[in-house]
């Protein structure tokens, strides 16, 4: 049995932060969970899904991958209003999708504990922006907890359900990538008792948010804020550590960097730290007492200066003459991702121990000698490796066929998923992208505004997430573009989660498969065709007809993601090789598709048999037919 399902407590287990969140939910007796997968939170729903499949007689919760975050939150809200403990997970940008129900759910509240996980991504390791979702707690009025590592992630998840029930309000659990993906020895408590059945008690004066009801519910929310603030003042997650006249206020993973820096700087007797875990509402009285006890305060928080502004306002309001520093206005990091020359805190990118240590030393005038960097002399330089589609990815074949037909003159609206990688040469089939599902709507806008030929690309999961509404709009308003749905049979980029278009028989999941072609025809699209992208000639012909069509046309390019295919069916195709006798060096195979399995050696195109999966795309575009299946040995 999986250790996460261990009913007893008392032992420590090495867990990923996301696994710790799962354990915390199980210890709290969670009965219902929904999500839309997204890095860095994906392992939370993936683990819930895996446990449910592997141990159907052991788990006592319902779980689903919802079509998008808005649907996930609305579904979860119904369960929590009905009286079962509920978890809803998403990445930070997913909260934008769920923001509409979130704002009103804060008004109506819940009848059982409900935790909403928002996983923020400082430095944009796998996201289109690095928004700070602490603003969402303030915007919605919901309490927020911020763990600094896996141990606190488990504890705060479990506590979040208790807090939620005490207040009758959902609680937001805000993590960041370093918390989600760190590992730590996590002490277990006993699994909680699960209340699986419930009954929705009708109460229109609370749950039906017509204006007359919502006016009262807003007052309810404001009263909850007052209750939550009193709890925050006494919360053990808001603690003062150390002693001295120099103060640091921090939260989340940045608090870990602060504690390491205090140790590294030998400043335990000089620096006092206020570490915040219950970060909204802020424990204002505790902060005021802290400010009065020190001579200078440094605020250490990633992304926006939310704490800093709140602390400055409190000091001003209470007339506390203490110097407060944090982010230096106007300063911009030397370069993206890594902060090359630390001497300040910035509103961009995640922090690291070196940065925090150096800024603390400079701020407080502490002697510090930067450790010598490890010498890498003699180490070979790592080869350049730009992001690329996998060997044998069917998206590459689709892109090739579309570009052969539409060329570089067409405008390509792209979307969130593996196909975002289509932006790079030689494919260069991504000209506009803002968010999940945007390819369809933006294709309509661009084509309507310019009259240019526009081709939009969207994945099957993303289509169900939020592309479908854009297509309805396009049909209704008589737009003119071609949408290519890259149907690889899974949600590939986040780890092969199922979605409504997945035929889940192969993975043994009793859900109902929704076929794309009749669905799209049902939306009113008159020209819909399904192609197999590795049949290049037929694919090009179908795409040519779709692009020539006046109006909205849809091409469904259907081929399993090769990584997912390995999980559901053993590979049977033979790999390919380049015949040196036939190859004339045109390099179309290299220049037009850039498959990672291909490389050039001594001016000769070659194929790495360990990477080739036998998709045969390169063989079909070679003008000399010089790429052939590798003969089996013996």
């Amino acid at each position: 049995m999986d250790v996460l399902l261990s009913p007893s407590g008392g032992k420590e287990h090495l867990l990923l932060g996301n696994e710790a969140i799962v354990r915390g939910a199980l210890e709290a007796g969670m009965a219902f969970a929904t999500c839309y997968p997204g890095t860095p939170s994906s392992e939370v729903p993936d683990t819930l899904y895996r446990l449910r499949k592997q141990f159907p007689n052991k788990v006592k919760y319902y779980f689903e991958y919802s079509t998008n975050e808005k649907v996930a939150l609305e579904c979860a809200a119904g369960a929590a209003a009905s009286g079962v403990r509920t978890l809803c997970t998403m990445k930070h940008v997913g909260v934008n999708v769920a923001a509409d129900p979130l704002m009103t759910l804060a008004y109506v509240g819940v009848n059982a504990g409900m935790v909403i996980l928002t996983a923020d991504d400082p430095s944009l390791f796998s996201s289109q922006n690095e928004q700070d979702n602490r603003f969402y707690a303030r915007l919605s009025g919901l309490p927020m907890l911020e763990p600094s590592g896996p141990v606190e992630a488990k504890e705060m998840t479990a506590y979040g359900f208790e807090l939620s029930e005490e207040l009758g309000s959902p609680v937001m659990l805000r993590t960041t990538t370093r918390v989600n993906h760190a590992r730590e020895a996590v002490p277990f408590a006993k699994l909680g008792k699960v209340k699986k059945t419930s009954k929705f008690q009708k109460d229109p004066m609370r749950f039906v948010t017509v204006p007359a009801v919502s006016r009262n519910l807003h007052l309810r929310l404001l009263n909850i804020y007052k209750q939550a603030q009193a709890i925050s003042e006494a919360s053990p997650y808001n603690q003062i550590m150390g002693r001295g006249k120099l103060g640091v206020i921090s939260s989340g993973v940045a608090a870990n960097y602060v504690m390491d820096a205090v140790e590294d700087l030998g400043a335990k007797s000089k620096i006092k730290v206020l570490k915040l875990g219950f970060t909204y509402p802020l424990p204002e009285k505790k902060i005021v007492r802290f400010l009065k006890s020190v001579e200078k305060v440094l605020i250490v928080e990633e992304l926006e200066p939310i704490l800093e502004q709140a602390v400055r306002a409190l000091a001003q309001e209470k007339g506390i003459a203490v110097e407060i520093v944090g982010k230096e206005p106007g300063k911009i990091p030397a370069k993206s991702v890594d902060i090359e020359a630390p001497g300040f805190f910035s509103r961009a990118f995640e922090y690291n121990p070196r940065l925090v240590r150096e800024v603390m030393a400079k701020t407080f005038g502490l002697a510090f000698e930067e450790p010598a960097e490890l010498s890498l002399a003699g180490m070979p330089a790592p080869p350049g490796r730009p992001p690329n589609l996998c060997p044998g990815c069917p998206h590459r074949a689709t892109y090739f066929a579309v570009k052969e037909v539409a060329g570089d003159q067409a405008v390509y609206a792209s979307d969130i998923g593996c196909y975002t990688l289509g932006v790079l040469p030689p494919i260069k089939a991504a000209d506009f992208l803002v968010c999940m599902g945007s390819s369809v709507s933006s294709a309509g806008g661009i084509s309507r505004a310019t009259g240019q030929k526009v081709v939009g690309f969207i994945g099957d999961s993303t289509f169900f997430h939020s592309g479908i509404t854009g297509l309805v709009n396009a049909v209704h308003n008589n737009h003119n573009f071609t949408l290519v749905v890259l149907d690889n049979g899974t949600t590939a980029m986040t780890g092969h989660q199922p979605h409504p278009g997945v035929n889940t028989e192969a993975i043994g999941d009793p859900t109902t498969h929704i076929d794309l072609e009749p669905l799209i025809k049902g939306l009113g699209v008159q020209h819909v065709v399904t192609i197999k992208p590795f049949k290049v000639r037929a694919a090009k012909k179908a795409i040519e007809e779709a692009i020539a069509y006046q109006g909205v046309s849809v091409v469904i390019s259907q081929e399993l993601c090769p990584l997912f295919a390995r999980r559901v069916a053993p590979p049977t195709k033979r790999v390919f090789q380049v015949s040196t006798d036939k190859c004339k060096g045109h390099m179309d195979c290299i220049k037009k598709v850039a498959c990672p399995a291909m490389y050039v050696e001594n001016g000769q195109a070659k194929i790495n048999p360990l990477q080739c999966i036998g998709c045969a795309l390169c063989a079909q575009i070679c003008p000399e037919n010089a790429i052939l299946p590798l003969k089996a040995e013996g």
Side-chain angles (χ1 to χ4, degrees), residues 230-285:
I231 297 171
S232 177
E233 294 286 359
S235 173
Y237 294 119
N238 296 330
Q239 55 181 316
I240 296 173
M241 298 175 286
R243 55 191 171 87
K245 288 298 182 181
L246 303 175
V248 176
I249 302 177
S250 188
S251 66
V253 74
N256 294 334
Y257 305 152
V258 168
M259 298 312 297
D260 284 349
V262 171
E263 181 80 23
D264 294 345
L265 295 170
K268 286 185 176 179
S269 62
K270 299 177 181 176
I271 297 178
K272 183 189 296 182
V273 178
L274 173 53
K275 178 175 179 286
L276 299 173
F278 193 148
T279 56
Y280 189 79
L282 285 170
E284 295 184 356
K285 293 178 182 176

Side-chain angles (χ1 to χ4, degrees), residues 383-400:
R385 185 178 295 174
N388 201 350
L389 295 166
C390 299
C393 176
H395 298 348
R396 180 179 289 103
T398 308
Y399 280 129
F400 172 79

Side-chain angles (χ1 to χ4, degrees), residues 434-448:
V434 288
C435 66
M436 291 280 283
S438 67
S439 61
V440 192
S441 308
S442 61
I446 293 169
S447 63
R448 177 68 74 180

Side-chain angles (χ1 to χ4, degrees), residues 201-263:
Q201 301 292 334
K202 293 185 178 182
D203 186 0
M205 297 306 291
R206 177 178 170 189
F207 290 123
V208 183
T209 54
V210 295
V213 173
S214 294
R215 290 187 191 102
N216 290 327
L217 292 178
H218 192 189
L219 300 180
R220 174 185 181 274
L221 178 64
L222 296 178
N223 280 322
I224 287 174
Y225 175 88
K226 291 175 63 177
Q227 296 174 50
Q229 188 164 51
I231 297 171
S232 177
E233 294 286 359
S235 173
Y237 294 119
N238 296 330
Q239 55 181 316
I240 296 173
M241 298 175 286
R243 55 191 171 87
K245 288 298 182 181
L246 303 175
V248 176
I249 302 177
S250 188
S251 66
V253 74
N256 294 334
Y257 305 152
V258 168
M259 298 312 297
D260 284 349
V262 171
E263 181 80 23

Side-chain angles (χ1 to χ4, degrees), residues 567-619:
R567 295 172 52 183
V568 297
T572 57
K573 296 177 181 176
R574 292 165 60 185
V575 302
F576 281 70
Q577 65 177 349
V578 179
S579 168
T580 54
D581 294 336
K582 293 185 175 182
C583 178
K584 303 299 182 185
H586 289 87
M587 299 290 177
D588 283 5
C589 53
I590 299 290
K591 296 175 182 176
K592 292 190 176 182
V593 297
C595 176
M598 304 203 70
Y599 61 100
V600 178
E601 186 176 85
N602 298 324
Q604 173 72 56
K606 292 192 174 182
I607 298 175
N608 183 343
L610 298 178
Q611 289 191 298
C612 178
I613 68 165
C615 73
L617 173 63
C618 55

